[in-house]
Amino acid sequence: MEQTLVILKPSCVARGLMGEVIGRLEAKGLIVAGMKMMQLDEQILREHYSHLVDKPFFPSLMKSMMATPVVVMCVEGVEAVRVVRAMAGVTNGRNAALGTIRGDFSVSGQKNIVHASDSPENAVVELARFFKPEEIFSYETAAYSYCYGDDDLKD
Ligand code: UDP
Ligand code: MG
């Protein structure tokens, strides 16, 4: 199965929405393979958002991402990267469709509740950035018996 990185941003943690977001991921049938709270610093954010360091909003983004601890999650499932991106919605919460996490809980282009990896390749790099191998677990869940059919698991 595929794994993707989800970060519950300070806009999620500080507003008491962690359970809400984790509940949606669990209810969908995704597996939480790793999860921990951590304080981000400038160094890890410069790596994680390296595609944005030259943008005018970067200092403000850094500040918002360090405002409280965040929760980093390794979320697993068939096509988990695409599924979680769809659940997150588009970047700006004001444009995100209702029913998505950002569409339901954010009015902001920056304080948009979650990060989700945007490709399987980036997910591998991002998970290695935030998790040690021993912090990601494989354990028995309902996923194989009750969430997926045989066809879903063919490849
Ligand atoms: N962001 C921002 N202003 C912008 C665009 C992005 O503050 O105009 C922030 C926002 O928090 C976003 C993050 O930078 O989630 C990463 O941007 P990216 O384009 O990678 O969007 P995402 O993949 O999170 O949808
Ligand atoms: Mg992105």
Side-chain angles (χ1 to χ4, degrees):
M1 282 198 199
E2 194 168 84
Q3 295 181 329
T4 188
L5 176 75
V6 173
I7 303 178
L8 307 183
K9 296 184 177 187
S11 49
C12 177
V13 173
R15 290 175 54 200
L17 295 171
M18 290 180 283
E20 194 76 54
V21 174
I22 295 166
R24 285 186 181 215
L25 298 169
E26 287 185 304
K28 179 73 173 169
L30 294 161
I31 298 164
V32 179
M35 180 159 70
K36 62 181 177 178
M37 185 173 264
M38 62 190 290
Q39 175 64 49
L40 301 182
D41 61 21
E42 206 166 317
Q43 189 188 336
I44 203 163
L45 281 167
R46 282 187 173 277
E47 274 179 39
H48 180 65
Y49 284 137
S50 60
H51 60 300
L52 300 173
V53 286
D54 295 329
K55 301 279 187 196
F57 59 81
F58 188 71
S60 159
L61 174 60
M62 294 265 281
K63 190 170 157 227
S64 77
M65 289 298 291
M66 296 192 293
T68 71
V70 299
V71 173
V72 292
M73 304 176 67
C74 173
V75 174
E76 189 174 293
V78 175
E79 298 174 69
V81 170
R82 190 174 61 72
V83 169
V84 175
R85 284 290 284 193
M87 290 178 75
V90 297
T91 305
N92 188 318
R94 295 193 299 280
N95 300 332
L98 297 181
T100 64
I101 292 165
R102 288 164 169 175
D104 287 351
F105 301 126
S106 170
V107 290
S108 171
Q110 179 165 93
K111 298 181 176 170
N112 56 4
I113 316 294
V114 286
H115 167 81
S117 304
D118 63 5
S119 70
E121 298 73 32
N122 283 343
V124 170
V125 173
E126 292 183 351
L127 283 166
R129 179 174 299 135
F130 289 96
F131 286 96
K132 300 184 189 125
E134 64 269 27
E135 291 173 330
I136 294 179
F137 299 89
S138 182
Y139 58 96
E140 199 169 314
T141 71
Y144 286 97
S145 325
Y146 295 103
C147 296
Y148 295 109
D150 293 339
D151 271 8
D152 300 310
L153 300 167
K154 255 193 331 229
D155 311 314

